[in-house]
Amino acid sequence: FLRREAIPKTAAAVVDSFPPTARDALVSLVRVTRNCDAAEAERLVAGPFTLAEGVTRGEAQELVELVAREKAAARVVVTGDPGMYGTA
């Protein structure tokens, strides 16, 4: 039997900046991604913020690409032992 190893969930999606027109879309995305209420999402979106953490590098990259559609500057950050992925 071959045994699959779990993909490390050591990445985060960080939003560094965004235009004012993207704010509402980012607040909605934060609410869904972080499972929080509107007030908490508004507080997070007040400046640079971590959209998601403890995700795989692929999941973080998908989120970065999603916010890029809103013209936001975002990046993937490897937060723990990068293992086979190396650094971001």
Coordinates of all heavy atoms in Angstrom, one line a residue:
F1 N 0.8 -1.2 0.0 CA 0.0 0.0 0.0 C 0.9 1.2 0.0 O 1.8 1.3 0.7 CB -0.9 0.0 1.2 CG -2.0 -1.0 1.2 CD1 -1.8 -2.2 1.9 CD2 -3.1 -0.7 0.6 CE1 -2.8 -3.2 1.8 CE2 -4.1 -1.7 0.6 CZ -4.0 -2.9 1.2
L2 N 0.5 2.2 -0.8 CA 1.1 3.5 -0.8 C 0.4 4.4 0.2 O -0.8 4.4 0.2 CB 1.2 4.1 -2.2 CG 2.0 3.4 -3.2 CD1 1.9 4.1 -4.5 CD2 3.5 3.4 -2.8
R3 N 1.1 5.1 0.9 CA 0.5 6.0 1.9 C 0.8 7.5 1.5 O 1.9 7.9 1.2 CB 1.2 5.7 3.2 CG 0.4 6.4 4.4 CD 1.0 5.8 5.6 NE 0.6 6.7 6.7 CZ 1.0 6.5 7.9 NH1 1.8 5.6 8.3 NH2 0.6 7.4 8.8
R4 N -0.2 8.2 1.4 CA -0.1 9.6 1.0 C 0.2 10.5 2.2 O -0.4 10.3 3.3 CB -1.4 10.2 0.4 CG -1.6 9.7 -1.0 CD -2.7 10.4 -1.6 NE -2.8 10.2 -3.0 CZ -3.6 10.8 -3.8 NH1 -4.5 11.6 -3.3 NH2 -3.7 10.5 -5.1
E5 N 1.1 11.4 2.1 CA 1.4 12.3 3.2 C 0.5 13.5 3.0 O 0.2 13.9 1.9 CB 2.8 12.8 3.1 CG 3.8 11.7 3.5 CD 5.2 12.2 3.7 OE1 5.4 13.4 4.1 OE2 6.1 11.5 3.3
A6 N 0.1 14.0 4.1 CA -0.8 15.2 4.1 C 0.0 16.4 3.6 O 1.2 16.5 3.9 CB -1.3 15.5 5.5
I7 N -0.6 17.2 2.8 CA 0.0 18.4 2.3 C 0.2 19.4 3.4 O -0.8 19.7 4.1 CB -0.8 19.1 1.1 CG1 -0.9 18.1 0.0 CG2 -0.2 20.4 0.7 CD1 -1.8 18.5 -1.1
P8 N 1.4 19.9 3.6 CA 1.6 20.9 4.7 C 0.7 22.1 4.6 O 0.6 22.7 3.5 CB 3.1 21.2 4.7 CG 3.7 20.5 3.6 CD 2.6 19.7 2.8
K9 N 0.1 22.5 5.7 CA -0.7 23.7 5.7 C 0.0 24.8 6.4 O -0.3 25.1 7.6 CB -2.1 23.4 6.3 CG -2.9 22.5 5.5 CD -4.3 22.4 6.0 CE -5.1 21.5 5.1 NZ -6.6 21.6 5.4
T10 N 1.1 25.2 5.8 CA 2.0 26.2 6.4 C 2.1 27.5 5.7 O 3.0 28.3 5.8 CB 3.4 25.6 6.5 OG1 3.8 25.3 5.2 CG2 3.4 24.3 7.3
A11 N 1.1 27.8 4.9 CA 1.1 29.1 4.1 C 0.0 30.0 4.6 O -0.9 29.6 5.3 CB 0.9 28.7 2.6
A12 N 0.2 31.2 4.2 CA -0.8 32.3 4.5 C -0.9 33.2 3.2 O 0.0 33.3 2.4 CB -0.4 33.1 5.7
A13 N -2.1 33.8 3.1 CA -2.3 34.8 2.0 C -2.4 36.1 2.7 O -3.3 36.3 3.6 CB -3.6 34.5 1.3
V14 N -1.5 37.0 2.3 CA -1.4 38.3 3.0 C -1.8 39.4 1.9 O -1.2 39.4 0.8 CB 0.0 38.6 3.5 CG1 0.1 40.0 4.1 CG2 0.3 37.5 4.6
V15 N -2.7 40.3 2.3 CA -3.1 41.4 1.4 C -2.3 42.6 1.9 O -2.5 43.1 3.1 CB -4.6 41.6 1.4 CG1 -5.0 42.8 0.6 CG2 -5.3 40.4 0.9
D16 N -1.5 43.2 1.1 CA -0.7 44.4 1.5 C -1.4 45.7 1.2 O -1.2 46.6 2.0 CB 0.7 44.3 0.8 CG 1.5 43.1 1.2 OD1 1.6 42.9 2.4 OD2 2.0 42.4 0.3
S17 N -2.1 45.8 0.1 CA -2.8 47.0 -0.2 C -3.8 46.7 -1.3 O -3.8 45.7 -1.9 CB -1.8 48.1 -0.8 OG -1.2 47.6 -2.0
F18 N -4.8 47.7 -1.4 CA -5.9 47.5 -2.3 C -6.5 48.9 -2.5 O -6.4 49.8 -1.7 CB -6.9 46.5 -1.8 CG -7.5 46.9 -0.4 CD1 -8.6 47.7 -0.3 CD2 -6.9 46.4 0.7 CE1 -9.1 48.0 0.9 CE2 -7.4 46.7 2.0 CZ -8.5 47.5 2.1
P19 N -7.1 49.1 -3.7 CA -7.8 50.3 -4.0 C -9.1 50.4 -3.2 O -9.7 49.4 -2.9 CB -8.0 50.3 -5.5 CG -8.1 48.8 -5.8 CD -7.1 48.2 -4.9
P20 N -9.6 51.6 -3.0 CA -10.8 51.8 -2.2 C -12.0 51.1 -2.9 O -12.9 50.6 -2.2 CB -11.1 53.3 -2.2 CG -9.7 53.9 -2.4 CD -8.9 52.9 -3.3
T21 N -12.0 50.9 -4.2 CA -13.1 50.3 -4.9 C -13.1 48.8 -4.6 O -14.2 48.1 -4.8 CB -12.9 50.4 -6.4 OG1 -11.7 50.0 -6.8 CG2 -13.1 51.9 -6.8
A22 N -12.1 48.2 -4.0 CA -12.1 46.8 -3.7 C -12.5 46.4 -2.3 O -12.7 45.3 -2.0 CB -10.6 46.2 -3.9
R23 N -12.7 47.5 -1.5 CA -13.0 47.3 -0.1 C -14.2 46.3 0.2 O -14.1 45.4 0.9 CB -13.2 48.6 0.6 CG -13.4 48.5 2.1 CD -13.5 49.9 2.7 NE -13.7 49.8 4.1 CZ -12.7 49.5 5.0 NH1 -11.5 49.2 4.6 NH2 -13.0 49.4 6.3
D24 N -15.3 46.6 -0.5 CA -16.5 45.8 -0.2 C -16.3 44.3 -0.6 O -16.7 43.4 0.1 CB -17.7 46.4 -1.0 CG -18.2 47.7 -0.4 OD1 -17.9 48.0 0.8 OD2 -18.9 48.4 -1.1
A25 N -15.7 44.1 -1.8 CA -15.4 42.7 -2.2 C -14.5 42.0 -1.2 O -14.7 40.9 -0.9 CB -14.8 42.7 -3.6
L26 N -13.5 42.8 -0.7 CA -12.5 42.1 0.2 C -13.2 41.9 1.6 O -12.9 40.8 2.2 CB -11.3 43.0 0.4 CG -10.4 43.1 -0.8 CD1 -9.2 44.1 -0.6 CD2 -9.8 41.7 -1.1
V27 N -14.1 42.8 2.0 CA -14.8 42.5 3.3 C -15.6 41.2 3.2 O -15.6 40.4 4.1 CB -15.7 43.7 3.7 CG1 -16.7 43.4 4.8 CG2 -14.8 44.9 4.1
S28 N -16.3 41.1 2.0 CA -17.1 39.9 1.8 C -16.2 38.6 1.8 O -16.6 37.6 2.4 CB -17.9 40.0 0.5 OG -18.8 41.0 0.6
L29 N -15.1 38.7 1.1 CA -14.2 37.6 1.1 C -13.6 37.2 2.4 O -13.5 36.1 2.8 CB -13.0 37.9 0.1 CG -12.1 36.7 -0.2 CD1 -12.8 35.5 -0.7 CD2 -11.0 37.2 -1.2
V30 N -13.3 38.2 3.2 CA -12.8 38.0 4.6 C -13.8 37.3 5.4 O -13.5 36.4 6.2 CB -12.3 39.3 5.2 CG1 -12.1 39.2 6.7 CG2 -11.1 39.9 4.6
R31 N -15.1 37.8 5.3 CA -16.1 37.1 6.1 C -16.3 35.6 5.8 O -16.4 34.8 6.7 CB -17.5 37.8 5.8 CG -17.5 39.2 6.4 CD -18.9 39.8 6.3 NE -19.8 39.1 7.1 CZ -21.1 39.2 7.1 NH1 -21.7 40.1 6.2 NH2 -21.9 38.5 7.9
V32 N -16.2 35.3 4.5 CA -16.3 33.9 4.1 C -15.1 33.1 4.5 O -15.2 32.0 5.0 CB -16.6 33.8 2.6 CG1 -16.5 32.4 2.1 CG2 -17.9 34.4 2.2
T33 N -13.9 33.6 4.2 CA -12.7 32.9 4.4 C -12.4 32.7 5.9 O -12.0 31.6 6.3 CB -11.5 33.7 3.7 OG1 -11.8 33.9 2.4 CG2 -10.2 32.9 3.9
R34 N -12.6 33.7 6.7 CA -12.3 33.7 8.1 C -13.5 33.3 9.0 O -13.3 33.2 10.2 CB -11.6 34.9 8.6 CG -10.3 35.2 7.8 CD -9.6 36.4 8.3 NE -9.2 36.3 9.7 CZ -7.9 36.2 10.1 NH1 -7.0 36.3 9.2 NH2 -7.6 36.1 11.4
N35 N -14.6 33.2 8.4 CA -15.9 32.8 9.1 C -16.1 33.8 10.2 O -16.2 33.4 11.4 CB -15.8 31.4 9.6 CG -17.2 30.9 10.0 OD1 -18.2 31.5 9.6 ND2 -17.2 29.9 10.8
C36 N -16.1 35.1 9.9 CA -16.3 36.1 11.0 C -17.5 37.0 10.6 O -18.0 37.0 9.5 CB -15.0 36.9 11.1 SG -14.5 37.9 9.7
D37 N -17.8 37.9 11.5 CA -18.9 38.8 11.3 C -18.4 40.1 10.5 O -17.2 40.3 10.3 CB -19.6 39.2 12.6 CG -18.8 39.9 13.6 OD1 -17.7 40.5 13.2 OD2 -19.1 39.9 14.8
A38 N -19.4 40.9 10.1 CA -19.0 42.1 9.3 C -18.1 43.0 10.1 O -17.2 43.6 9.5 CB -20.3 42.8 8.9
A39 N -18.4 43.2 11.4 CA -17.6 44.2 12.1 C -16.1 43.7 12.2 O -15.2 44.5 12.0 CB -18.1 44.3 13.5
E40 N -15.9 42.5 12.4 CA -14.5 41.9 12.5 C -13.8 42.0 11.1 O -12.7 42.4 11.0 CB -14.5 40.5 12.9 CG -13.1 40.0 13.1 CD -13.0 38.5 13.6 OE1 -14.0 38.0 14.1 OE2 -11.9 37.9 13.5
A41 N -14.6 41.7 10.0 CA -14.0 41.8 8.7 C -13.7 43.3 8.4 O -12.6 43.5 7.8 CB -15.1 41.3 7.7
E42 N -14.5 44.2 8.8 CA -14.2 45.6 8.6 C -12.9 46.0 9.3 O -12.1 46.8 8.7 CB -15.4 46.5 9.0 CG -16.6 46.5 8.2 CD -16.4 47.3 6.9 OE1 -15.5 48.1 6.8 OE2 -17.3 47.0 6.0
R43 N -12.7 45.6 10.5 CA -11.5 45.9 11.3 C -10.3 45.3 10.6 O -9.2 46.0 10.5 CB -11.6 45.3 12.7 CG -12.3 46.2 13.6 CD -12.1 45.7 15.1 NE -12.4 44.3 15.3 CZ -13.6 43.8 15.6 NH1 -14.7 44.6 15.6 NH2 -13.8 42.5 15.8
L44 N -10.4 44.1 10.0 CA -9.2 43.5 9.4 C -8.8 44.2 8.1 O -7.7 44.4 7.8 CB -9.5 42.0 9.0 CG -9.5 41.0 10.2 CD1 -10.0 39.7 9.7 CD2 -8.0 40.9 10.6
V45 N -9.8 44.7 7.4 CA -9.6 45.3 6.1 C -9.1 46.8 6.2 O -8.8 47.4 5.3 CB -10.8 45.2 5.2 CG1 -10.7 45.9 3.9 CG2 -11.1 43.7 4.9
A46 N -9.0 47.2 7.5 CA -8.5 48.6 7.7 C -7.1 48.9 7.3 O -6.8 50.0 7.0 CB -8.7 48.9 9.2
G47 N -6.3 47.9 7.1 CA -4.9 48.0 6.7 C -4.4 46.7 6.1 O -5.2 45.9 5.8
P48 N -3.1 46.6 6.0 CA -2.6 45.3 5.5 C -3.1 44.2 6.4 O -3.2 44.4 7.7 CB -1.1 45.4 5.6 CG -0.9 46.9 5.6 CD -2.1 47.5 6.2
F49 N -3.5 43.0 5.9 CA -4.1 42.0 6.7 C -3.8 40.6 6.1 O -3.5 40.5 5.0 CB -5.6 42.2 6.9 CG -6.4 42.1 5.6 CD1 -7.0 40.9 5.3 CD2 -6.5 43.2 4.8 CE1 -7.7 40.8 4.1 CE2 -7.2 43.1 3.6 CZ -7.8 41.9 3.3
T50 N -3.9 39.6 7.0 CA -3.8 38.2 6.6 C -5.2 37.7 6.3 O -6.0 37.6 7.2 CB -3.1 37.4 7.7 OG1 -1.8 37.9 8.0 CG2 -3.0 35.9 7.3
L51 N -5.4 37.3 5.0 CA -6.7 36.9 4.6 C -6.9 35.5 5.1 O -8.0 35.1 5.6 CB -6.7 36.9 3.1 CG -8.0 36.3 2.4 CD1 -9.2 37.1 2.9 CD2 -7.9 36.4 0.9
A52 N -5.9 34.6 5.0 CA -6.0 33.2 5.5 C -4.7 32.7 6.0 O -3.7 33.1 5.4 CB -6.6 32.3 4.4
E53 N -4.7 31.9 7.0 CA -3.4 31.3 7.4 C -3.7 29.8 7.8 O -4.8 29.4 7.9 CB -2.8 32.0 8.6 CG -3.7 32.2 9.8 CD -3.1 33.2 10.8 OE1 -1.9 33.5 10.8 OE2 -3.9 33.7 11.6
G54 N -2.6 29.0 7.8 CA -2.8 27.6 8.0 C -3.5 26.9 6.9 O -4.2 26.0 7.0
V55 N -3.1 27.4 5.7 CA -3.6 26.8 4.4 C -2.5 26.2 3.6 O -1.3 26.5 3.9 CB -4.5 27.8 3.6 CG1 -5.7 28.2 4.3 CG2 -3.6 29.0 3.2
T56 N -2.8 25.4 2.6 CA -1.7 24.9 1.7 C -1.2 26.1 0.9 O -1.9 27.1 0.7 CB -2.2 23.8 0.9 OG1 -3.2 24.3 -0.1 CG2 -2.8 22.6 1.7
R57 N -0.1 25.9 0.3 CA 0.5 26.9 -0.6 C -0.5 27.1 -1.8 O -0.7 28.3 -2.2 CB 1.9 26.6 -1.0 CG 2.5 27.7 -1.8 CD 4.0 27.4 -2.0 NE 4.5 28.5 -2.8 CZ 5.7 28.9 -2.7 NH1 6.6 28.4 -1.9 NH2 6.2 29.9 -3.5
G58 N -1.0 26.1 -2.3 CA -2.0 26.2 -3.4 C -3.2 27.0 -3.1 O -3.7 27.8 -3.9
E59 N -3.8 26.7 -1.9 CA -4.9 27.4 -1.4 C -4.6 28.9 -1.3 O -5.4 29.8 -1.6 CB -5.5 26.9 -0.1 CG -6.0 25.5 -0.2 CD -6.3 24.8 1.1 OE1 -5.6 25.1 2.1 OE2 -7.1 23.9 1.1
A60 N -3.5 29.2 -0.7 CA -3.0 30.6 -0.5 C -2.9 31.3 -1.9 O -3.3 32.4 -2.1 CB -1.7 30.7 0.3
Q61 N -2.3 30.5 -2.8 CA -2.1 31.1 -4.2 C -3.4 31.4 -4.8 O -3.6 32.4 -5.5 CB -1.3 30.2 -5.0 CG -0.9 30.8 -6.4 CD 0.0 32.0 -6.3 OE1 0.9 32.1 -5.5 NE2 -0.4 33.0 -7.1
E62 N -4.4 30.5 -4.7 CA -5.7 30.8 -5.2 C -6.4 32.1 -4.6 O -7.0 32.8 -5.4 CB -6.7 29.6 -4.9 CG -6.4 28.4 -5.8 CD -7.3 27.2 -5.5 OE1 -8.3 27.4 -4.8 OE2 -7.0 26.1 -6.0
L63 N -6.2 32.3 -3.3 CA -6.7 33.5 -2.7 C -6.0 34.7 -3.2 O -6.7 35.7 -3.5 CB -6.6 33.4 -1.2 CG -7.6 32.3 -0.5 CD1 -7.2 32.1 0.9 CD2 -9.0 32.8 -0.7
V64 N -4.7 34.6 -3.4 CA -3.9 35.8 -3.9 C -4.4 36.1 -5.3 O -4.6 37.3 -5.6 CB -2.4 35.5 -3.9 CG1 -1.6 36.4 -4.7 CG2 -1.9 35.4 -2.5
E65 N -4.6 35.1 -6.1 CA -5.1 35.4 -7.5 C -6.6 35.9 -7.5 O -6.9 36.8 -8.3 CB -5.1 34.1 -8.3 CG -3.6 33.6 -8.6 CD -3.5 32.3 -9.2 OE1 -4.6 31.7 -9.5 OE2 -2.4 31.8 -9.4
L66 N -7.4 35.5 -6.5 CA -8.7 36.0 -6.4 C -8.7 37.5 -6.0 O -9.5 38.3 -6.7 CB -9.5 35.2 -5.4 CG -11.0 35.4 -5.2 CD1 -11.7 35.1 -6.5 CD2 -11.5 34.6 -4.1
V67 N -7.9 37.9 -5.1 CA -7.9 39.3 -4.7 C -7.2 40.1 -5.8 O -7.5 41.3 -5.9 CB -7.3 39.5 -3.3 CG1 -8.1 38.8 -2.2 CG2 -5.8 39.2 -3.2
A68 N -6.3 39.6 -6.5 CA -5.7 40.3 -7.6 C -6.7 40.8 -8.7 O -6.5 41.8 -9.3 CB -4.6 39.4 -8.3
R69 N -7.8 40.1 -8.8 CA -8.9 40.5 -9.7 C -9.5 41.8 -9.3 O -10.0 42.6 -10.1 CB -10.0 39.4 -9.8 CG -9.6 38.2 -10.4 CD -10.7 37.2 -10.4 NE -10.2 35.9 -10.7 CZ -10.9 34.8 -10.4 NH1 -12.0 34.8 -9.8 NH2 -10.4 33.6 -10.7
E70 N -9.3 42.1 -8.0 CA -9.8 43.4 -7.4 C -8.7 44.4 -7.4 O -8.9 45.5 -6.8 CB -10.4 43.2 -6.0 CG -11.5 42.2 -5.9 CD -12.8 42.6 -6.7 OE1 -13.0 43.9 -6.8 OE2 -13.5 41.8 -7.1
K71 N -7.6 44.1 -8.1 CA -6.5 45.1 -8.2 C -5.8 45.2 -6.8 O -5.1 46.3 -6.5 CB -6.9 46.4 -8.7 CG -7.6 46.4 -10.0 CD -6.7 45.9 -11.1 CE -7.5 46.0 -12.5 NZ -7.5 44.8 -13.2
A72 N -5.9 44.2 -5.9 CA -5.2 44.3 -4.7 C -3.8 43.7 -4.8 O -3.6 42.8 -5.6 CB -6.0 43.5 -3.6
A73 N -2.9 44.2 -4.0 CA -1.5 43.6 -3.9 C -1.5 42.6 -2.8 O -1.7 42.9 -1.6 CB -0.5 44.7 -3.7
A74 N -1.3 41.3 -3.1 CA -1.3 40.3 -2.2 C -0.1 39.3 -2.4 O 0.4 39.3 -3.5 CB -2.6 39.5 -2.2
R75 N 0.2 38.5 -1.4 CA 1.3 37.5 -1.6 C 1.1 36.3 -0.7 O 0.3 36.3 0.2 CB 2.6 38.2 -1.2 CG 2.7 38.7 0.2 CD 3.9 39.7 0.4 NE 3.6 40.5 1.6 CZ 4.1 40.2 2.8 NH1 4.8 39.1 3.0 NH2 3.8 40.9 3.8
V76 N 1.8 35.2 -1.1 CA 1.8 34.0 -0.3 C 3.0 34.1 0.6 O 4.1 34.4 0.2 CB 1.9 32.8 -1.3 CG1 2.1 31.5 -0.5 CG2 0.7 32.7 -2.2
V77 N 2.8 33.7 1.8 CA 3.9 33.7 2.8 C 3.9 32.3 3.4 O 2.8 31.8 3.9 CB 3.7 34.7 3.9 CG1 4.7 34.6 5.0 CG2 3.6 36.1 3.3
V78 N 5.0 31.6 3.4 CA 5.2 30.3 4.1 C 5.4 30.6 5.6 O 6.4 31.3 5.9 CB 6.3 29.5 3.5 CG1 6.4 28.2 4.2 CG2 5.9 29.2 2.0
T79 N 4.6 30.1 6.4 CA 4.6 30.5 7.9 C 5.4 29.5 8.7 O 5.9 29.9 9.8 CB 3.2 30.7 8.4 OG1 2.5 29.5 8.2 CG2 2.5 31.9 7.7
G80 N 5.4 28.2 8.4 CA 6.0 27.2 9.2 C 7.1 26.6 8.5 O 7.8 27.2 7.7
D81 N 7.4 25.4 8.9 CA 8.4 24.6 8.2 C 8.0 24.4 6.7 O 7.0 23.8 6.4 CB 8.6 23.2 8.8 CG 9.6 22.3 8.1 OD1 10.5 22.9 7.4 OD2 9.5 21.1 8.3
P82 N 8.7 25.0 5.8 CA 8.3 25.0 4.4 C 8.4 23.6 3.8 O 7.8 23.4 2.8 CB 9.3 26.0 3.7 CG 10.5 26.0 4.6 CD 10.0 25.7 6.0
G83 N 9.1 22.7 4.4 CA 9.2 21.3 3.8 C 9.6 21.3 2.4 O 10.6 22.0 2.0
M84 N 8.9 20.7 1.5 CA 9.3 20.6 0.1 C 9.0 21.8 -0.7 O 9.4 22.0 -1.8 CB 8.6 19.4 -0.5 CG 7.1 19.5 -0.7 SD 6.5 17.9 -1.3 CE 4.9 18.5 -1.9
Y85 N 8.3 22.8 -0.1 CA 7.9 24.0 -0.9 C 8.9 25.0 -0.9 O 8.9 25.9 -1.7 CB 6.6 24.6 -0.3 CG 5.4 23.7 -0.5 CD1 4.7 23.2 0.5 CD2 5.0 23.3 -1.8 CE1 3.6 22.4 0.3 CE2 3.9 22.4 -2.0 CZ 3.2 22.0 -0.9 OH 2.2 21.2 -1.1
G86 N 9.8 25.1 0.0 CA 10.8 26.2 0.0 C 10.2 27.4 0.6 O 9.2 27.3 1.3
T87 N 10.7 28.6 0.3 CA 10.1 29.8 0.8 C 9.4 30.5 -0.2 O 9.6 30.3 -1.4 CB 11.2 30.7 1.4 OG1 12.2 30.9 0.4 CG2 11.9 30.0 2.6
A88 N 8.5 31.4 0.2 CA 7.7 32.2 -0.7 C 8.5 33.4 -1.3 O 9.4 33.9 -0.7 CB 6.4 32.7 -0.1

